[in-house]
Amino acid sequence: QSALTQPASVSGSPGQSITISCSGTSSDIGGYEYVSWYQQHPDKAPKLIIFDVSNRPSGVSNRFSGSKSGNTASLTISGLQTEDEADYYCTSYTSSVAYVFGTGTRVAVL
Amino acid sequence: DVQLVESGGGLFQPGGSLRLSCAPSGFTFRDCWMHWVRQAPGMGLVWVARINPEGSTTDYADSVRGRFTISRDNAKNMLYLQMHSLTVEDTAVYYCATAGNYRFDQWGQGTLVTVSS
C-alpha cells in the first residue's frame, strides 16, 4: 500500500487561505468517508484536527476545514496564523492494510 | 485528561528484539482500539499495527508483519509492541494512539528506537 500523495510544502502569508491536497485511490480515500488530518509541530506528537473528511474535534479552530472529491481529500486553513506553521498529514482507512498516511506537507507562514 | 506514555525505546543492534510499552490513563482503555504508528527521523508517519479492545483481533503493516506483535493487558492497563529481527529501517519514534471511529484521537509523546551496530 503506497502512501497517499501530498505536496511537500505549501506557504502563505498571514491572513491568507491555503489548501493542502491528499491524493489516493478508490481503495482508500475514494472508497470511504474516513479521511482524517493531523497537525504536527516540530518534536511534538501529531494532533487530530479533522476526522470523517470534514468534522472538527472539540477545541480545534474553525479555521481548519476538510473536504473530499473522488479520490482526493483537501485540508483548507483560512486566516493563516504563525502558529499554523507545522507539518500536516492526511490518513484514510483502506480496504487492504487498515490505514495509510499521506506523505506529509510542511506549511510555512511567510 | 487522556495520557499515553510510551517507554522501552533505546539503542538496539540489527537482528535484536525489544518490547515497547504504552501506559494509558484518563479513559477506559479496555473499550478502545489501540494503534502503534512510527516516524523515522525526518520522515512521515507510518501506521504499524492495531488491536481491538478484547485483544483478539490484530492487524499489521506489511513491513512489520511476522516480526512485530501488538498485544494488550486490560487488567494491567497496558499496550505493548514486541519487535523482533530488527533492521536499521525500524529506526523511528514509535507512538501509541487511541482509535476513535477510523481516526487517531490521542497520541503519546513517542519513544525513540534506534537500530544500529
Side-chain angles (χ1 to χ4, degrees), chain A residues 60-73:
Chain A
V60 172
S61 171
N62 59 8
R63 297 185 299 103
F64 295 95
S65 61
S67 62
K68 188 187 87 162
S69 178
N71 297 337
T72 299

Side-chain angles (χ1 to χ4, degrees), chain A residues 1-4 6 36-41 44-48 87-92 99-105, chain B residues 36-48 61 63 92-97 104 107-110:
Chain A
Q1 176 79 47
S2 299
L4 305 175
Q6 298 180 232
S36 53
W37 290 87
Y38 302 83
Q39 177 192 60
Q40 186 180 33
H41 287 106
K44 298 293 186 183
K47 173 189 173 184
L48 175 68
D87 293 328
Y88 292 83
Y89 295 90
C90 60
T91 190
S92 174
Y99 293 91
V100 61
F101 280 93
T103 49
T105 298
Chain B
W36 287 98
V37 177
R38 70 183 181 183
Q39 186 171 34
M43 303 296 284
L45 300 170
V46 176
W47 176 79
V48 172
S63 57
V93 173
Y94 286 75
Y95 297 99
C96 65
F104 306 101
W107 300 64
Q109 86 288 348

Side-chain angles (χ1 to χ4, degrees), chain B residues 38-95:
Chain B
R38 70 183 181 183
Q39 186 171 34
M43 303 296 284
L45 300 170
V46 176
W47 176 79
V48 172
R50 68 172 176 175
I51 187 167
N52 71 336
E54 297 77 20
S56 57
T57 298
T58 56
D59 291 298
Y60 299 91
D62 290 345
S63 57
V64 307
R65 187 176 295 114
R67 300 188 301 121
F68 290 11
T69 302
I70 186 172
S71 63
R72 65 194 296 160
D73 187 333
N74 287 343
K76 294 183 178 179
N77 238 40
M78 291 293 290
L79 175 73
Y80 304 105
L81 185 67
Q82 181 71 52
M83 304 165 63
H84 294 293
S85 303
L86 292 169
T87 72
V88 294
E89 286 76 31
D90 295 321
T91 294
V93 173
Y94 286 75
Y95 297 99

Side-chain angles (χ1 to χ4, degrees), chain A residues 10-103:
Chain A
V10 173
S11 62
S13 300
Q16 284 188 330
S17 293
I18 62 169
T19 296
I20 301 168
S21 61
C22 172
S23 178
T25 69
S26 58
S27 296
D28 39 67
I29 292 176
Y32 304 93
E33 299 299 305
Y34 299 134
V35 177
S36 53
W37 290 87
Y38 302 83
Q39 177 192 60
Q40 186 180 33
H41 287 106
D43 298 319
K44 298 293 186 183
K47 173 189 173 184
L48 175 68
I49 56 173
I50 293 288
F51 66 95
D52 293 352
V53 177
S54 60
N55 293 285
R56 280 187 309 275
S58 174
V60 172
S61 171
N62 59 8
R63 297 185 299 103
F64 295 95
S65 61
S67 62
K68 188 187 87 162
S69 178
N71 297 337
T72 299
S74 298
L75 172 72
T76 297
I77 309 175
S78 58
L80 200 61
Q81 299 180 1
T82 54
E83 59 259 37
D84 299 332
E85 277 206 342
D87 293 328
Y88 292 83
Y89 295 90
C90 60
T91 190
S92 174
Y93 186 75
T94 86
S95 60
S96 56
V97 294
Y99 293 91
V100 61
F101 280 93
T103 49

